[in-house]
Amino acid sequence: MSTQEQYPTLSSNQKILLVTAKRVGDALFLTPAIKLLKQSLPATQLDVLALGKSAADVFEHNPMVNRIFLTKNKKTIKKIANQYSLVINLMHEMQVYLTDLSAPVVSIGLPNQNLPRAEQVLDFILTLLENNNVPQKIDHEYNLYPQTHHVQNINTLLRRFDLDPSKHILIACQLGCHRVARRGWQFWRKKKDRHQHEKVWSIENYIELAKQLCESDQRIRLILTGAKQEKFLARLVQKDCPEVISFIGKTELLELTALMDQLQVLITHDTGTLHIACARQRPIVALFGPTPVAFTGPYPMKPQYTVLQQDRMADITVTDVYQAVMEKLLLVN
């Protein structure tokens, strides 16, 4: 079946494979649509194919999902897909992995970068459902499901660093992004890379921000988050601000989700951590360069989300971010 010529009719009791994403943010964009599909066709078995470990972790413990497959191997994907009555590709970019399948495939089209990606996937699923059995109220929130042990692990980590959410103001900073995590210290070694990256605010700015925040209120505790490959960023900050605490490399995805519930503000770039915070509806200060906020910014937009955007990340000042954070603290305290 051509992926674009016609859409199949969805019905109950089907066994459907959902092709998802490689990374955290992209996977989270899909969770409202997956929930809508399951609510509309509760007897249908929904299995997920993730093409990256971090994306697979997003679907862990998700009650809408029956089984999670993790692979990028085309032969393995073909073998898996041919067990299903229908394959639905929710990310246009993943179409390259779905060639020569005997199972029928329907794929979402090219995304419009002027509209929220999550909203576009919801509209795609609504088209497939043809409004049959669709809930009167559609949930647009991202879905993550930390378990009791994830919460306990975070509480243990907080105690290890003498952090008490009832006494301290916990603010987290996500220093890097996917590209920084992937290339690690090699990315930061080249000055031109770290200053030209369209998503990353400078470490020098974070150091100055950390100093101002910690001086403004003795209750503030600044926590750094990120992947283990980004530990070198923590060392750069802690060299000038030893009071800053690093959780980089210490939390799995659902533990990071549990940590969000203890934060009063998250400062982040356009990266997966931003969307995890959205899933928990936490106060956010999001820093954007030229990447389209409408496409991958906080969703659904809420009063506690602030986006600071400039043509260049370097044009976002420390004063801008400091004031945005302090405004958030006034709202939550």
Side-chain angles (χ1 to χ4, degrees):
M1 175 185 294
S2 168
T3 59
Q4 298 297 330
E5 287 179 359
Q6 65 182 76
Y7 287 158
T9 301
L10 297 187
S11 60
S12 296
N13 300 309
Q14 282 183 293
K15 186 180 177 185
I16 297 176
L17 180 67
L18 302 173
V19 180
T20 61
K22 293 181 180 180
R23 295 185 284 184
V24 171
D26 290 336
L28 277 168
F29 298 157
L30 310 179
T31 56
I34 293 172
K35 183 174 183 179
L36 172 63
L37 185 56
K38 185 64 174 178
Q39 289 177 329
S40 302
L41 300 172
T44 294
Q45 177 180 319
L46 300 180
D47 292 346
V48 159
L49 170 65
L51 292 98
K53 175 64 166 60
S54 58
D57 290 345
V58 167
F59 302 107
E60 188 179 357
H61 303 295
N62 189 321
M64 312 298 158
V65 172
N66 177 65
R67 186 175 181 184
I68 303 167
F69 297 98
L70 172 59
T71 184
K72 291 189 293 185
N73 183 280
K74 288 186 178 181
K75 289 184 178 179
T76 304
I77 290 172
K78 184 175 181 179
K79 184 176 180 180
I80 293 170
N82 290 340
Q83 303 172 31
Y84 290 83
S85 58
L86 180 64
V87 177
I88 301 178
N89 177 26
L90 299 176
M91 293 281 294
H92 180 81
E93 299 90 322
M94 303 307 141
Q95 192 63 32
V96 296
Y97 294 95
L98 305 177
T99 55
D100 301 323
L101 303 186
S102 59
V105 180
V106 59
S107 179
I108 193 169
L110 282 167
N112 180 346
Q113 297 208 351
N114 295 315
L115 297 171
R117 187 150 204 178
E119 196 75 39
Q120 295 177 61
V121 183
L122 276 169
D123 289 343
F124 172 62
I125 292 298
L126 283 169
T127 301
L128 295 182
L129 290 168
E130 297 181 338
N131 294 321
N132 292 328
N133 304 313
V134 173
Q136 188 172 7
K137 184 177 181 181
I138 297 175
D139 185 359
H140 291 254
E141 303 292 344
Y142 300 145
N143 307 135
L144 286 167
Y145 297 90
Q147 304 296 292
T148 301
H149 66 277
H150 298 120
V151 176
Q152 292 173 341
N153 289 346
I154 282 300
N155 288 338
T156 299
L157 188 60
L158 291 172
R159 288 195 296 270
R160 186 191 308 170
F161 289 93
D162 296 322
L163 297 174
D164 185 345
S166 68
K167 297 179 181 178
H168 299 135
I169 299 171
L170 303 185
I171 301 173
C173 289
Q174 175 73 26
L175 300 181
C177 66
H178 173 75
R179 181 179 171 191
V180 175
R182 181 165 52 84
R183 294 184 57 192
W185 66 270
Q186 296 179 14
F187 173 86
W188 227 255
R189 183 177 59 183
K190 295 183 179 180
K191 187 174 182 179
K192 67 179 182 65
D193 280 357
R194 65 178 185 262
H195 286 294
Q196 291 179 5
H197 192 289
E198 62 183 8
K199 287 188 175 183
V200 174
W201 206 41
S202 75
I203 286 295
E204 292 80 9
N205 282 345
Y206 274 114
I207 290 170
E208 180 58 31
L209 176 65
K211 290 177 180 178
Q212 291 189 22
L213 288 172
C214 291
E215 289 172 1
S216 68
D217 192 316
Q218 62 181 2
R219 296 171 299 165
I220 287 179
R221 299 293 184 272
L222 204 61
I223 298 170
L224 306 181
T225 60
K228 63 181 179 180
Q229 299 92 329
E230 298 171 303
K231 286 183 177 181
F232 70 97
L233 295 177
R235 291 193 291 270
L236 292 173
V237 174
Q238 290 175 317
K239 182 179 178 180
D240 288 320
C241 301
E243 66 273 27
V244 171
I245 299 158
S246 176
F247 280 11
I248 294 178
K250 292 181 170 67
T251 57
E252 297 177 357
L253 186 142
L254 291 179
E255 291 171 342
L256 181 59
T257 305
L259 174 63
M260 292 297 160
D261 296 338
Q262 304 293 344
L263 298 180
Q264 291 186 288
V265 185
L266 170 71
I267 305 162
T268 179
H269 306 127
D270 176 15
T271 190
T273 304
L274 164 64
H275 308 298
I276 293 172
C278 287
R280 309 310 280 186
Q281 302 179 40
R282 303 309 300 155
I284 299 167
V285 176
L287 313 184
F288 273 71
T291 55
V293 174
F295 188 52
T296 59
Y299 176 86
M301 197 63 188
K302 298 181 184 296
Q304 66 265 36
Y305 304 158
T306 294
V307 175
L308 301 177
Q309 184 176 32
Q310 295 289 345
D311 291 339
R312 301 184 311 150
M313 290 293 285
D315 293 333
I316 300 174
T317 69
V318 174
T319 299
D320 292 335
V321 181
Y322 175 80
Q323 290 178 346
V325 171
M326 297 309 291
E327 287 173 7
K328 293 284 177 286
L329 295 181
L330 288 174
L331 290 175
V332 297
N333 289 298

